[in-house]
Amino acid sequence: MSCPTCSTAPAGAPQRLPDLPDVLGALESGRLAPHAFDHRAHVFAAWVAMRRDGTVAGAARFRHALQAYCGHLGAADKYHATVTEALLRLIAAELAAEMPAALRWQRQWRAFERRAAHLLAGGRAALAPYYSEARLALPAARRRFLAPDRQPLPPTVLGPAGPDEAA
């Protein structure tokens, strides 16, 4: 039995590969179910944004999308600027070793997952080499990016922590 909503390409016809999912559009509009947006989904959404729009523009769009999503959920206070920015910088550092763009995005994501497994374990765990819990708990850390207090984040096109980012 065939599915009326599915189409099968004729034999030998080129198949269209699926595009990167519009996870940012779902965040910006509030369409994504909260239970579906765990830490791994956060990292995936940031990776998609930076792959699609470039590292700097993608990071900016992800920040905006995440803040909008928190607003849609009535939880604007859940947005943590330091955690978000630090993870974006760590993801950007891993993107420097990305696979060729000619590969399907699914293969690129799987390679990223293997290479950056430490980022997928959890946000606080990924940041532990750079930030103490006390630093992340500061009210200022929620509002704006604070530089790490343990060791510097790797330099990326998103920039090193500057003096205006200190506590």
Side-chain angles (χ1 to χ4, degrees):
M1 176 195 282
S2 70
C3 172
T5 59
C6 300
S7 63
T8 306
Q15 290 185 323
R16 181 172 163 12
L17 298 175
D19 291 331
L20 282 168
D22 188 18
V23 66
L24 293 181
L27 288 175
E28 290 165 339
S29 67
R31 292 187 324 258
L32 191 62
H35 71 274
F37 197 56
D38 60 6
H39 175 70
R40 181 181 217 81
H42 277 74
V43 173
F44 178 70
W47 180 85
V48 166
M50 289 190 267
R51 293 285 301 141
R52 178 179 285 154
D53 300 331
T55 305
V56 174
R61 183 164 177 218
F62 176 78
R63 284 183 212 100
H64 169 77
L66 186 56
Q67 288 173 325
Y69 185 65
C70 289
H72 284 295
L73 297 178
D77 61 325
K78 296 288 186 187
Y79 181 81
H80 197 294
T82 299
V83 170
T84 301
E85 186 64 25
L87 285 171
L88 283 170
R89 290 175 187 210
L90 291 172
I91 293 166
E94 292 294 338
L95 284 174
E98 232 0 61
M99 296 180 76
L103 294 178
R104 293 182 4 191
W105 72 263
Q106 295 93 334
R107 286 192 64 198
Q108 291 175 11
W109 171 246
R110 283 193 298 274
F112 179 85
E113 285 179 304
R114 285 189 300 275
R115 192 174 57 256
H118 61 286
L119 297 180
L120 296 165
R124 300 291 174 133
L127 297 180
Y130 308 97
Y131 289 91
S132 66
E133 280 297 323
R135 181 107 168 136
L136 292 176
L138 291 171
R142 240 183 218 293
R143 294 187 308 273
R144 61 186 173 85
F145 177 62
L146 299 183
D149 60 341
R150 290 192 169 154
Q151 69 173 319
L153 292 163
T156 70
V157 295
L158 298 179
D164 58 8
E165 299 167 331

